[in-house]
Amino acid sequence: MLMPGVSGPEALALARRLCGLVPDVSVSVGVTERRAGDTAARLMRRADLTLHQGKVDGRGAAALHTETATA
């Protein structure tokens, strides 16, 4: 989901709220910020890598891509 005007940390907070809304459903979320020169494929690759990290961190987790993460 694109969220123009929302920072990475703000999007992460919203994602964490989403993860906790339905206790019987596990939701993992990867969040990344758009960068100058990004292609759709590059943006989705970072989000997918971050989603995987969220799953590694535990069920119902949300993670924010950082510069130190591989992309």
Side-chain angles (χ1 to χ4, degrees), residues 16 28-29 50-64:
R16 286 184 172 151
S28 295
V29 179
T50 308
L51 169 62
H52 177 66
Q53 184 59 50
K55 289 180 178 183
V56 169
D57 291 345
R59 294 181 61 173
L64 174 63

Side-chain angles (χ1 to χ4, degrees), residues 5 12 31 36-37 44-48 51 57 59 61 67-68:
L12 179 61
V31 177
M44 292 304 295
R45 172 78 176 142
R46 281 198 313 275
D48 188 54
L51 169 62
D57 291 345
R59 294 181 61 173
E67 292 300 318
T68 57

Side-chain angles (χ1 to χ4, degrees), residues 17-27 59-60:
R17 281 188 62 205
L18 173 67
C19 289
L21 283 178
V22 183
D24 296 337
V25 176
S26 176
V27 176
R59 294 181 61 173

